[in-house]
Amino acid sequence: MGTPKTTKKSKKKQNPESKFHFDLNLCSKNNDLRLAISLYEAALSNNTRFNHHHFNALLYLCSNSVTDPSLKDLALEYGLRIFDHMSLIGIVPNEATITAVARLAAAKGDGDYAFELVKNIRKYNALPRLRTYDPALYCFCEKLEAEKAYEVEEHMGSVGVSLEEPEIAALLKVSSETGMEDRVYGYLHKLRNLMRSVSESTAKVIEDWFCGGKASKVGEVNWEVNRIKEAVLRNGGGWHGQGWIGEGDWVLCRTNVDSNGECQSCNEKLVCVDIDHAETDRFAQSVASLAMEREVKSNFSEFQDWLEKNADYNAIVDGANVGLYQQNFSDGSFSVSQVDAVINELYNRSGKKWPLVVLHNKRFRAIVENPSHRKLVEEWMNKGILYTTPTGSNDDWYWLYATVSLKCLLVTNDEMRDHIFELLGSSFFLKWKERHQVRYTFVKGNLKLHMPPPYSSVIQESEKGTWHIPIARDSSSEQSAISWLCINRPSVSKAHDEVVKTAVTSQNSDGLCCNIKLLDSGKSVDGSNILYGNQDLSQICDNNTTATTGKRKERSPSP
């Protein structure tokens, strides 16, 4: 027995509108513009009733076909005619409609119309997306209409649409080709803020700028080392954002960075990039605000007051996480010895400074009930090592707040993916964790701390104005997934090094002004005025800047 041939019967019973809908969907699936236009013309002749889906499908096919030279004219002619037809019969466009028509306008070279469509999209109760802006933006960039491209970017920002790498690369390219050096500098920093590495095509745009004649002529001839240094510290390391430094030709090189972060081309050492001071302060305030909503407010406020008076810690230890590590066997319990091993290792690494262990009060009471542990815990308390959080509290809030507010290290294997961390958002959380989290292992009772990496694989701008840009290779490559583009001005590096060297040999002189001046040759240095304010010179000359905590105050006992 065969199955009933219901499909053929149902097709025979299709009305003209259903058949048009079915055939048009097949054209969309097969990307067949010519057949779709034939169907459209036939539907017009038959007075077929059109709906929103029909118009969007036709416009989508037209906008997709403009890249085919043999179909471009046909796509443009019918695409704009179909949009006029849609408007004539009163069908309201949506975002997909506007995006398709904007693509058609851009393919025709009419970026103004493409942009006008986006600006008026709200009258259709629709919201633009990145793809809606792309046609106008790319059209203006390709025609070197830089100011109009910047206007598109500004409009995107006003409605909360963010740029991604291709859009930044297009804006970087048009800025480079029109000689807008400040814009180039700004878009490099937008890339730095957005991307951990760039694509090969974006790297080519960057190389073209630095190899051009305009790039060699831009930059501040007189600059203050102290101002640049302070900006780097304030920004969390890895960039200063103060503009181009010096003058002269740039040297570009594809290179590698060794395991310690040293560039194999210019020998500069890359740094582990942290979030900037303003972000850190906002982060700490956010943690405190959320903690007070979910904790007993007076308890957390008491901890904040205590921490302010006891701010001289370089590391915070998540006591529960360390004590319960690998204790999930039948006889396992909280391991005081593991916590003590972490405490002593941090003490020895930090130049004899004790860390702060945060532990829940319930856990603390269980530990001190054991006579063999009580003496050790009392030693911790006497040294100001231990803070016990109140009954009913979540100790995660306490150790997280302490780490953020003191800008120090956190010893925990917690991946920080729980609900409380989701509340904080993730825009900068990964960067913060990379810089501050210390993971650990115990192998046969032996502790090994896994410190933060010596450098971050992100775009970096050094105090000398040198750029290091990681480029993502094809994932199928047998080589390292990242290569580096090193971009530096040898004359600036030499001038900077000579001034720093002069400062180091004159450590006893104060009250001078720290300026570097490159003479026309790019080789001479005017180092007559050098000042590093009240900063320690060894810190000024150290590329691996570390976060510092507040001044030690008289320590009050932990509650």
Side-chain angles (χ1 to χ4, degrees):
M1 294 178 61
T3 57
K5 297 181 179 180
T6 54
T7 303
K8 288 186 177 180
K9 289 181 180 179
S10 62
K11 282 187 178 181
K12 289 181 180 178
K13 293 179 182 179
Q14 280 183 334
N15 60 41
E17 291 177 11
S18 299
K19 187 174 188 311
F20 173 61
H21 188 97
F22 179 83
D23 291 342
L24 187 59
N25 284 343
L26 282 179
C27 290
S28 296
K29 183 179 179 180
N30 298 325
N31 201 29
D32 191 338
L33 175 65
R34 295 186 188 279
L35 180 56
I37 288 175
S38 296
L39 292 171
Y40 171 69
E41 293 285 8
L44 282 174
S45 300
N46 296 329
N47 293 318
T48 302
R49 186 172 62 182
F50 291 87
N51 61 33
H52 200 287
H53 169 77
H54 299 150
F55 285 113
N56 271 8
L58 288 162
L59 289 169
Y60 173 79
L61 276 168
C62 290
S63 65
N64 264 15
S65 300
V66 293
T67 56
D68 184 340
S70 66
L71 294 174
K72 182 176 179 179
D73 290 342
L74 183 68
L76 289 174
E77 177 189 350
Y78 271 89
L80 297 174
R81 184 193 302 179
I82 288 165
F83 182 57
D84 287 341
H85 179 195
M86 182 180 185
S87 302
L88 185 65
I89 64 175
I91 294 181
V92 179
N94 60 14
E95 183 274 330
T97 312
I98 298 301
T99 297
V101 180
R103 287 171 180 165
L104 292 167
K108 197 176 177 181
D110 194 349
D112 293 314
Y113 181 48
F115 189 28
E116 199 64 33
L117 285 165
V118 185
K119 287 191 289 186
N120 292 326
I121 196 172
R122 286 182 180 272
K123 73 180 183 182
Y124 305 120
N125 294 318
L127 293 175
R129 297 163 58 182
L130 180 61
R131 68 178 189 177
T132 324
Y133 283 99
D134 276 348
L137 180 67
Y138 289 134
C139 183
F140 290 141
C141 288
E142 288 169 8
K143 296 173 72 174
L144 298 184
E145 295 180 316
E147 294 300 333
K148 290 183 178 181
Y150 303 149
E151 187 182 348
V152 175
E153 181 196 7
E154 184 179 350
H155 197 275
M156 292 170 67
S158 70
V159 297
V161 175
S162 300
L163 296 168
E164 294 184 2
E165 183 183 357
E167 289 74 25
I168 297 176
L171 287 160
L172 182 63
K173 187 172 188 291
V174 71
S175 301
S176 172
E177 293 180 354
T178 54
M180 303 286 197
E181 66 270 15
D182 291 341
R183 289 281 187 171
V184 172
Y185 186 80
Y187 289 124
L188 283 174
H189 275 289
K190 284 182 184 290
L191 276 175
R192 176 199 57 76
N193 191 49
L194 178 69
M195 308 298 301
R196 293 189 69 85
S197 60
V198 302
S199 64
E200 188 63 50
S201 60
T202 301
K204 179 64 168 58
V205 173
I206 295 170
E207 287 175 326
D208 288 345
W209 160 255
F210 283 102
C211 290
K214 179 72 172 181
S216 65
K217 298 174 183 177
V218 301
E220 188 177 346
V221 177
N222 299 294
W223 75 93
E224 300 176 17
V225 172
N226 198 34
R227 174 173 60 86
I228 301 297
K229 184 75 179 183
E230 288 175 352
V232 171
L233 293 172
R234 183 172 61 251
N235 294 336
W239 66 284
H240 56 76
Q242 300 299 298
W244 305 112
I245 293 178
E247 284 185 345
D249 292 339
W250 296 87
V251 175
L252 284 70
C253 179
R254 295 290 183 103
T255 186
N256 293 309
V257 173
D258 69 18
S259 59
N260 293 318
E262 185 171 304
C263 174
Q264 301 300 284
S265 175
C266 69
N267 299 322
E268 276 199 47
K269 196 164 185 180
L270 276 64
V271 300
C272 192
V273 177
D274 200 354
I275 60 176
D276 65 38
H277 285 198
E279 284 178 315
T280 302
D281 291 341
R282 287 194 296 269
F283 188 13
Q285 291 168 8
S286 177
V287 173
S289 176
L290 288 168
M292 288 188 189
E293 289 177 10
R294 289 157 176 78
E295 300 285 311
V296 176
K297 187 173 181 179
S298 59
N299 288 339
F300 197 80
S301 295
E302 185 179 354
F303 173 65
Q304 288 181 293
D305 294 339
W306 180 87
L307 193 65
E308 187 176 346
K309 297 173 183 176
N310 299 272
D312 196 19
Y313 293 105
N314 285 342
I316 309 298
V317 179
D318 176 1
N321 186 270
V322 175
L324 295 174
Y325 178 76
Q326 292 185 336
Q327 300 301 305
N328 56 347
F329 47 90
S330 58
D331 297 327
S333 60
F334 188 92
S335 175
V336 175
S337 62
Q338 287 182 175
V339 177
D340 194 51
V342 170
I343 289 171
N344 288 310
E345 180 66 16
L346 291 170
Y347 176 77
N348 293 328
R349 281 174 176 257
S350 66
K352 312 304 181 185
K353 292 183 70 174
W354 295 111
L356 174 65
V357 178
V358 176
L359 194 63
H360 196 279
N361 185 50
K362 182 180 178 180
R363 189 79 59 188
F364 167 77
R365 291 182 181 278
I367 294 170
V368 295
E369 286 176 1
N370 187 330
S372 63
H373 295 156
R374 188 177 300 134
K375 184 177 180 180
L376 179 58
V377 173
E378 287 176 352
E379 288 180 7
W380 292 351
M381 295 177 69
N382 291 335
K383 292 171 181 175
I385 293 172
L386 187 63
Y387 190 96
T388 57
T389 62
T391 302
S393 66
N394 185 337
D395 53 341
D396 290 1
W397 291 116
Y398 291 77
W399 53 251
L400 179 61
Y401 177 78
T403 308
V404 177
S405 61
L406 299 184
K407 303 178 180 69
C408 63
L409 297 174
L410 169 65
V411 180
T412 183
N413 284 346
D414 193 323
E415 292 298 330
M416 292 179 259
R417 294 173 181 160
D418 296 341
H419 175 63
I420 73 163
F421 304 107
E422 291 178 357
L423 294 172
L424 299 168
S426 59
S427 59
F428 59 84
F429 204 39
L430 288 177
K431 186 192 294 185
W432 179 85
K433 285 204 303 179
E434 181 185 58
R435 177 66 182 83
H436 292 273
Q437 185 172 8
V438 178
R439 291 178 171 83
Y440 62 88
T441 54
F442 284 92
V443 179
K444 295 182 179 179
N446 296 317
L447 168 67
K448 182 176 181 181
L449 294 180
H450 303 274
M451 305 301 288
Y455 72 99
S456 300
S457 292
V458 295
I459 298 173
Q460 298 198 20
E461 177 194 35
S462 79
E463 297 165 27
K464 303 176 184 180
T466 298
W467 289 84
H468 287 92
I469 299 174
I471 304 169
R473 288 196 180 111
D474 186 337
S475 59
S476 64
S477 172
E478 295 181 0
Q479 297 176 310
S480 170
I482 295 290
S483 65
W484 288 83
L485 176 60
C486 170
I487 309 168
N488 73 91
R489 275 174 161 156
S491 58
V492 175
S493 296
K494 181 179 178 182
H496 181 280
D497 293 344
E498 289 189 21
V499 169
V500 171
K501 182 179 178 181
T502 303
V504 171
T505 58
S506 307
Q507 291 185 22
N508 295 326
S509 61
D510 290 325
L512 304 174
C513 176
C514 177
N515 288 319
I516 289 183
K517 180 179 181 182
L518 282 179
L519 301 185
D520 293 338
S521 64
K523 298 180 180 179
S524 300
V525 179
D526 179 4
S528 57
N529 295 322
I530 303 170
L531 171 68
Y532 291 93
N534 295 321
Q535 297 184 59
D536 180 61
L537 284 170
S538 63
Q539 182 185 8
I540 292 293
C541 300
D542 181 9
N543 284 332
N544 291 322
T545 305
T546 57
T548 57
T549 61
K551 184 178 179 182
R552 179 185 290 273
K553 299 182 180 180
E554 184 178 352
R555 179 166 293 156
S556 56
S558 164

